[in-house]
Amino acid sequence: MKPHITIVIKPTLFCNTDCKHCYHMPEERVKGEISLERVEKLIRMASEEYETAWFIWHGGEPLTLPMSFYKEAIGYEEKYFGKNSMRYGNTINTNGLLLNKRFMAYCREKKVNVGISYEGPYNNVLRAEDLERTLSKLSDKDNKYSVGVTVSKDTADKQKEIYEYFRDRTVTISMSPVIGAGCGRPYVPDTDEFIKGSIEAFDDWLFDNKVPVPLMPYYLYIRNYLGDPVPSDCAHTSCLTKWLCMYPDGSLYPCAKACPKEFCMGNIDDIGTIAEAFQTEGFRNILIGSIKRRDKCASCEIFKFCNGGCSVDACYENGIEENGGDSCEAYKAIFKHVAGEIQKILDEKPDLDRYNPFVKEAVINKLINPKTVSQ
């Protein structure tokens, strides 16, 4: 059996809101949901081919489906992987508008992570609905979620402020830019402004020595720089063959990020194993294009940390075979800054109590266990 796979399931492309930057076009966001038979088949195949699997429920808006759907789906995971076996886990990515105490209690019972797409004080830049009212109805024990912040051209210079908003609420956040797919192109941030805003947010977090939450993806950049094993954000790992996405109609793609049709890996209805999906022409297309791009990246000083970046991002920038796009430029500048600050700590050995607790822990682990670090 292979060690692990991350599986994104889009049970519907329908959404109860109309975010300006959505990478699914309006004509795609129609009512209709995946069959439980397809969900069961994919879960069963994953259990037979992989030691562990992480399931991400995405969309559209996954919570437009009833809670009974998720009870059935998680029941399949328990059936095929073994209840409480630690072989599987779940995350639900939602816009948060349909969250309620009952659903959050179920997620707490089943150890399901809840990730909310939300920009805090600037939520109205990309989204029209008022999420604060929904979140305020959750009790403290139900108020357990992380937030994914989408940074647009209008908020690129406000990342520090957004970080502080969630820091004061002790909410873990991850920041990522709008990608130029679907409806998103007009809202893609200026690269220089995104870099500047990202570094400001990181520096604020770096010296925030009492904050009890990590700031993503920068905490992962630190861990990545400090060595093996290398945990990193999905855009900068060698993800091919390690991720799979299923759409409501059963079609399969390498990831959930609005992959072009030429990367379609067939349909769940037509295969008997997940391995077959990775033998399709669609997967060969993304694999060959990614290899050509990474060959061009190989001489870069930080290639070992970024692995050539995200293939889907590259598709919407210069083309999958080309590097040097906006996402490449931004990562290179931000990662070098993060790495420089961490190397300074390693070289100068200052009082670590000045730094964020997550930074302090990562550096101490490196100093105690230097052989785990590759530089």
Side-chain angles (χ1 to χ4, degrees):
M1 296 178 77
K2 298 180 182 68
H4 180 77
I5 189 168
T6 299
I7 294 176
V8 182
I9 298 178
K10 297 193 176 198
T12 182
L13 294 186
F14 174 71
C15 193
N16 56 339
T17 187
D18 188 22
C19 298
K20 297 174 184 177
H21 65 296
C22 184
Y23 47 65
H24 288 301
M25 298 298 288
E27 57 267 26
E28 296 178 88
R29 303 195 297 267
V30 296
K31 289 191 175 181
E33 61 187 63
I34 199 166
S35 69
L36 280 165
E37 289 78 14
R38 284 173 170 151
V39 172
E40 180 179 13
K41 182 177 181 180
L42 184 56
I43 291 171
R44 176 183 56 77
M45 290 193 303
S47 73
E48 293 168 349
E49 297 176 61
Y50 294 86
E51 293 177 7
T52 62
W54 195 271
F55 296 92
I56 300 175
W57 303 90
H58 205 279
E61 172 47 50
L63 295 190
T64 56
L65 275 69
M67 193 164 76
S68 59
F69 173 87
Y70 295 99
K71 287 184 175 181
E72 290 278 354
I74 291 175
Y76 296 142
E77 294 172 2
E78 294 173 345
K79 174 182 177 182
Y80 292 109
F81 282 92
K83 189 173 183 180
N84 301 322
S85 68
M86 306 299 289
R87 290 184 59 207
Y88 64 93
N90 291 276
T91 295
I92 290 182
N93 285 341
T94 171
N95 60 34
L97 292 169
L98 297 174
L99 286 176
N100 55 53
K101 293 181 180 180
R102 180 168 168 260
F103 186 78
M104 292 299 284
Y106 175 73
C107 290
R108 195 166 62 248
E109 175 194 348
K110 295 296 183 179
K111 298 180 174 60
V112 176
N113 294 331
V114 176
I116 302 176
S117 300
Y118 181 38
E119 285 75 49
Y122 296 101
N123 203 53
N124 63 349
V125 172
L126 296 174
R127 316 172 199 274
E129 287 71 14
D130 179 11
L131 185 55
E132 280 292 331
R133 190 172 358 180
T134 300
L135 297 180
S136 67
K137 295 177 183 177
L138 301 177
S139 66
D140 287 342
K141 70 177 181 179
D142 291 322
N143 203 11
K144 304 297 181 187
Y145 54 84
S146 61
V147 162
V149 172
T150 304
V151 180
S152 70
K153 65 177 184 179
D154 295 316
T155 57
D157 62 346
K158 298 175 174 62
Q159 294 179 70
K160 178 175 177 286
E161 183 183 347
I162 293 171
Y163 156 67
E164 292 176 346
Y165 174 89
F166 289 109
R167 174 203 65 192
D168 294 344
R169 290 157 176 78
T170 63
V171 174
T172 298
I173 72 167
S174 178
M175 294 189 177
S176 59
V178 173
I179 66 170
C183 305
R185 188 169 296 278
Y187 305 98
V188 173
D190 174 80
T191 303
D192 290 336
E193 288 188 7
F194 179 75
I195 292 169
K196 182 173 182 292
S198 298
I199 290 174
E200 287 175 350
F202 169 77
D203 286 348
D204 194 21
W205 173 76
L206 178 67
F207 291 100
D208 215 337
N209 64 0
K210 291 184 172 57
V211 66
V213 294
L215 176 61
M216 304 293 189
Y218 313 119
Y219 174 58
L220 296 178
Y221 291 0
I222 291 172
R223 297 285 305 278
N224 192 6
Y225 180 69
L226 287 176
D228 297 322
V230 182
S232 189
D233 59 318
C234 74
H236 301 103
T237 55
S238 186
C239 66
L240 297 178
T241 73
K242 299 179 181 69
W243 283 68
L244 185 69
C245 177
M246 180 167 66
Y247 275 55
D249 65 358
S251 57
L252 302 170
Y253 287 88
C255 85
K257 254 188 182 181
C259 289
K261 294 289 187 184
E262 59 263 32
F263 300 152
C264 181
M265 299 160 60
N267 193 288
I268 188 73
D269 298 341
D270 302 323
I271 60 174
T273 66
I274 291 174
E276 290 178 44
F278 292 117
Q279 300 297 320
T280 57
E281 182 179 356
F283 185 72
R284 284 194 294 273
N285 288 340
I286 193 170
L287 182 62
I288 291 169
S290 299
I291 290 171
K292 290 181 178 178
R293 185 183 74 260
R294 289 169 180 169
D295 284 345
K296 296 173 183 176
C297 295
S299 61
C300 177
E301 60 188 302
I302 64 168
F303 174 68
K304 67 178 180 179
F305 299 111
C306 86
N307 293 287
C310 174
S311 294
V312 177
D313 286 351
C315 278
Y316 291 105
E317 294 174 353
N318 299 337
I320 189 171
E321 296 181 8
E322 302 299 326
N323 59 5
D326 291 343
S327 61
C328 172
E329 183 181 343
Y331 177 80
K332 188 179 294 186
I334 297 166
F335 184 85
K336 283 184 175 181
H337 177 81
V338 171
E341 291 297 317
I342 299 305
Q343 191 60 49
K344 187 187 301 183
I345 295 173
L346 296 175
D347 292 341
E348 298 177 2
K349 298 181 174 56
D351 179 4
L352 289 176
D353 287 337
R354 296 168 48 200
Y355 296 93
N356 183 277
F358 285 87
V359 177
K360 177 180 176 180
E361 180 185 18
V363 171
I364 288 175
N365 285 343
K366 184 269 176 186
L367 294 174
I368 292 173
N369 238 334
K371 289 185 179 179
T372 67
V373 180
S374 60
Q375 294 193 26

